[in-house]
Amino acid sequence: MTSPAAQHVHSLLASYPDFPQPGIMFSDLNPVFANAAAFRTIVDELVEGYHGRFDAVAGIEARGFLLAAAVGYAADVAVLAVRKGGKLPGTVLTEEYDLEYGSARLELEVGQLPAGSRVLVLDDVLATGGTVAATSRLIERAGYTLAGVGVVVELTGLAGRSRLGDTTVHAVVSI
């Protein structure tokens, strides 16, 4: 049985071939996020899927921020921002990673939560897994416990889940 959130995603998800470069099929969740009912069902599903198992959420720049803010509010937990390199002040941890079409680095400010806090990582799409794997390493290096990963869309053909070991991953939709 398909969840209400999955039904919304299937009906609203836009796809753009050859973006940002030839050979890439870009799945655009902006139409999904722009629909209030769809966004609410996604947030509700992510909160319920990990109910009672996280103390904070970490959103990966940029669309992960939208999910983390909403899930953090709905679950009444702290929100962490995992930013692209060079965007955070103070003491930060850095992780380099490969994308399906390049490489980049992510950063997390240290000392934002008590040691051992259970952090749920949220992002819009799980593709090759590089971004989520780098974020997971940042969470653990910061002294927190990875509670799991939640995404709206998992692109199963790119095998990103395989880069996450035994981490629990909840995808609203797998395509």
Side-chain angles (χ1 to χ4, degrees), residues 15-119:
S15 297
Y16 295 92
D18 300 321
F19 183 83
Q21 66 184 41
I24 302 295
M25 176 64 75
F26 185 80
S27 295
D28 183 13
L29 283 165
N30 285 330
V32 179
F33 292 157
N35 181 294
F39 190 64
R40 179 181 299 276
T41 61
I42 288 166
V43 169
D44 290 347
E45 183 171 320
L46 291 171
V47 170
E48 184 57 36
Y50 288 96
H51 181 75
R53 299 186 344 215
F54 62 98
D55 307 308
V57 291
I60 303 172
E61 189 167 348
R63 284 172 282 185
F65 291 171
L66 301 172
L67 294 167
V71 169
Y73 177 81
D76 194 24
V77 300
V79 178
L80 301 176
V82 178
R83 302 284 322 258
K84 295 176 182 173
K87 303 263 183 170
L88 292 173
T91 304
V92 298
L93 297 172
T94 301
E95 279 289 331
E96 305 252 343
Y97 67 102
D98 292 324
L99 297 163
E100 64 229 62
Y101 45 84
S103 64
R105 73 177 202 259
L106 292 173
E107 294 179 341
L108 176 68
E109 280 185 83
V110 299
Q112 298 180 85
L113 302 171
S117 294
R118 302 169 300 165
V119 179

Side-chain angles (χ1 to χ4, degrees), residues 84-168:
K84 295 176 182 173
K87 303 263 183 170
L88 292 173
T91 304
V92 298
L93 297 172
T94 301
E95 279 289 331
E96 305 252 343
Y97 67 102
D98 292 324
L99 297 163
E100 64 229 62
Y101 45 84
S103 64
R105 73 177 202 259
L106 292 173
E107 294 179 341
L108 176 68
E109 280 185 83
V110 299
Q112 298 180 85
L113 302 171
S117 294
R118 302 169 300 165
V119 179
L120 174 62
V121 171
L122 298 172
D123 205 5
D124 60 339
V125 176
L126 175 60
T128 64
T131 307
V132 174
T135 300
S136 299
R137 290 190 301 272
L138 283 171
I139 295 303
E140 291 172 345
R141 287 179 52 211
Y144 311 138
T145 301
L146 182 62
V149 171
V151 296
V152 180
V153 174
E154 178 181 8
L155 303 175
T156 57
L158 296 175
R161 193 179 287 241
S162 67
R163 295 182 69 179
L164 304 177
D166 61 357
T167 301
T168 302

